[in-house]
Amino acid sequence: MSRFVVSVLIVGCGLCSLPSSASPWIEAEDPFLRSDLQYLADRGFIRLPLNTFPVRWSLLADQFAKLDPATLNSAEQSAYRHVQYRLDSERLGRGRSHLTLSWANDADVGQNGFGGSEHTEYGIRASHEIMENQFAMRVSSGYRQAADSSDHWHFEDSYLAFGARDFTLSLGWLSRWWGPGWQQAFGFGQQAVSVPGLSLSYQHPSAGWLGSLWAETLLGKQDIDKQDNQVDADYLWASRVALRPKSWLQLGSSYKQWLGGADTLPGQSATSEQSSNGMWTLDMRLSAPLPLDGAGGLYGEYGHDRQSGVDYQLMGLDARWLLGRESLRLVAEAQESDPESTSNADLGVQALWQHKGNAIVDAVDGKRVSLGGYLQLHNDHTFSAFVHQNSPATAERYQTLVAQYRLPVFAGRVTGNLTGSEASAPTADRFSGGVVYEYRFN
């Protein structure tokens, strides 16, 4: 599939003209944009499912156009201006061409969770995006450090998409985040190497009693020669339904399964009751305004891996306020697996749901508690920091600190990443750091 995707993208380059409308998606790359959107949704101004990314800008734009900035308080106006700027930038075609340089002394350094950093020690990537009313594409190519020499050159982040009314057909590499969490997701917690695939999505901003509706099905391709996981399969099929029937209620469910290969873990027989490798999830978020013009929510997610038999639970709480001219979102999450639900708990989700060595499902066997937040300054500087207390099912407990600072500089944006771990952590470097520079051509 990868060669076919690249061929279609190259042919498409010769058929396209200048951009004329907004980028099709709010991608799973910017937790601060998501924080602004979530705040406006929690305050009841937009009815957008924010538990599934990427999500089409058009699902937001129609609702956003109905807002009257004069009726908003200072905290709401701050979030409104941030989102409006991004929407206007997409409509005007700003920054369609990107050049990104990255370096780190550890491939896993940097912000994890939603919008996490690419897992590589060094790399360079260039991309160009073209937009039309019912057509969009991006050609992206780069070179990076990789365990396999055939993965040095890559076309990840490239895509080709066609839209007709409420439907979108896309082909290529798009990072996805399916779930209400900020640091963990059981549906799709993809942060690094994207799964190339063909997807069909349906979105409707006003679907009666269902509210705002988003549905997607994806057929992805993996290279089984790379031994990405312990399931010998060629394809990944994944589907997702998300809706927001009330301004204070957000729901979602997903299911995924490897296809085209053996369906058993090492040591299992074909007649095992746990021979199916599917995993399904169910998630919910309850939102409410808070005192002092704040807003936040309580959310949870449940996942069941049919092959390993492990159940996963996630509970989280988040809240955002405007402090002077700076916005702060605090997040607390606790994720835990049930090792008694299966005799194969040590072969749980991390062993199964991987693509080129990176997790598709962001969950751990054991328990992980995450505390931290996102600080957005009025001068476009951003800072995020999280402390993770990890209690693996088969290893000693340890803590990890992950911090990220971003600032506009040199006609682009520089991101500094820092990770620190206790001596008991299963990593070679207790302290690691990295820098990413992104230049956007006007």
Side-chain angles (χ1 to χ4, degrees):
M1 174 176 284
S2 297
R3 292 182 179 177
F4 173 71
V5 172
V6 173
S7 299
V8 172
L9 291 172
I10 293 175
V11 171
C13 281
L15 303 177
C16 299
S17 57
L18 295 177
S20 63
S21 61
S23 174
W25 291 295
I26 304 169
E27 299 189 47
E29 62 177 7
D30 189 347
F32 297 94
L33 174 60
R34 180 189 174 187
S35 179
D36 289 322
L37 290 168
Q38 188 65 69
Y39 175 78
L40 293 172
D42 292 342
R43 298 288 295 184
F45 292 107
I46 58 175
R47 294 279 288 275
L48 174 70
L50 296 173
N51 54 7
T52 307
F53 289 85
V55 60
R56 284 177 60 177
W57 271 109
S58 58
L59 189 61
L60 165 72
D62 293 341
Q63 301 176 41
F64 208 61
K66 300 176 183 178
L67 285 179
D68 182 3
T71 65
L72 306 180
N73 60 41
S74 58
E76 295 161 352
Q77 286 184 2
S78 175
Y80 172 86
R81 287 195 300 269
H82 290 155
V83 178
Q84 186 65 60
Y85 176 79
R86 288 292 300 273
L87 179 58
D88 290 342
S89 295
E90 297 295 341
R91 285 172 171 166
L92 296 173
R94 297 171 182 158
R96 294 290 189 218
S97 300
H98 293 198
L99 175 65
T100 303
L101 307 172
S102 63
W103 172 88
N105 67 339
D106 188 308
D108 292 329
V109 68
Q111 172 67 43
N112 294 316
F114 183 87
S117 304
E118 185 175 357
H119 291 190
T120 183
E121 292 183 2
Y122 58 83
I124 180 171
R125 183 175 61 203
S127 67
H128 180 66
E129 200 165 23
I130 297 174
M131 302 294 157
E132 292 292 338
N133 288 329
Q134 295 182 329
F135 169 85
M137 69 173 298
R138 179 168 63 212
V139 177
S140 177
S141 180
Y143 182 89
R144 66 172 175 224
Q145 173 270 339
D148 194 298
S149 59
S150 62
D151 287 332
H152 287 317
W153 286 104
H154 65 91
F155 289 89
E156 287 158 20
D157 291 332
S158 300
Y159 72 83
L160 178 66
F162 299 91
R165 296 181 63 85
D166 299 329
F167 290 91
T168 301
L169 179 68
S170 66
L171 176 70
W173 293 262
L174 285 173
S175 294
R176 288 172 168 82
W177 185 272
W178 292 357
W182 295 86
Q183 292 296 297
Q184 287 91 220
F186 302 154
F188 237 107
Q190 192 173 320
Q191 303 168 33
V193 180
S194 304
V195 177
L198 175 69
S199 76
L200 177 65
S201 62
Y202 171 81
Q203 59 115 37
H204 201 294
S206 183
W209 61 272
L210 292 176
S212 189
L213 175 64
W214 174 262
E216 181 179 9
T217 188
L218 163 75
L219 181 63
K221 179 70 168 65
Q222 80 155 344
D223 188 345
I224 60 175
D225 295 332
K226 304 284 179 63
Q227 298 296 322
D228 295 332
N229 54 46
Q230 299 192 39
V231 177
D232 180 19
D234 298 296
Y235 299 98
L236 173 69
W237 172 60
S239 295
R240 171 78 170 172
V241 175
L243 52 100
R244 194 183 185 98
K246 301 291 183 180
S247 62
W248 49 268
L249 177 62
Q250 180 176 267
L251 301 171
S253 183
S254 65
Y255 181 80
K256 54 189 167 294
Q257 184 171 355
W258 291 111
L259 304 173
D263 291 331
T264 58
L265 283 169
Q268 286 186 326
S269 66
T271 59
S272 170
E273 294 181 358
Q274 298 174 348
S275 61
S276 176
N277 66 63
M279 182 174 184
W280 68 272
T281 69
L282 182 66
D283 59 82
M284 179 178 67
R285 177 186 172 91
L286 302 174
S287 302
L290 297 175
L292 303 176
D293 296 330
L298 175 67
Y299 54 88
E301 185 174 14
Y302 169 81
H304 175 72
D305 185 70
R306 295 175 60 191
Q307 182 154 10
S308 68
V310 181
D311 296 323
Y312 296 89
Q313 300 88 33
L314 170 70
M315 291 296 296
L317 179 69
D318 68 343
R320 166 172 158 155
W321 288 273
L322 184 67
L323 306 177
R325 301 172 64 187
E326 333 300 342
S327 63
L328 174 66
R329 179 175 294 276
L330 300 177
V331 177
E333 288 185 4
Q335 182 250 300
E336 186 173 12
S337 65
D338 180 10
E340 297 181 358
S341 62
T342 176
S343 60
N344 293 310
D346 59 330
L347 297 175
V349 69
Q350 294 288 29
L352 297 177
W353 302 102
Q354 293 187 1
H355 174 69
K356 295 187 178 180
N358 294 281
I360 294 173
V361 176
D362 188 21
V364 296
D365 291 322
K367 185 176 182 179
R368 177 168 59 187
V369 177
S370 303
L371 299 173
Y374 305 92
L375 177 63
Q376 190 169 6
L377 307 182
H378 71 277
N379 58 359
D380 293 331
H381 292 223
T382 61
F383 177 77
S384 62
F386 280 86
V387 175
H388 306 285
Q389 181 171 280
N390 305 278
S391 303
T394 58
E396 185 179 350
R397 183 174 66 182
Y398 65 94
Q399 290 186 345
T400 302
L401 169 65
V402 180
Q404 183 182 86
Y405 185 71
R406 303 191 311 187
L407 70 157
V409 67
F410 304 130
R413 184 175 69 186
V414 172
T415 301
N417 295 303
L418 177 66
T419 299
S421 301
E422 290 186 306
S424 56
T427 180
D429 297 312
R430 291 186 58 189
F431 297 97
S432 54
V435 177
V436 179
Y437 172 66
E438 180 182 9
Y439 181 78
R440 297 191 177 190
F441 298 90
N442 292 324

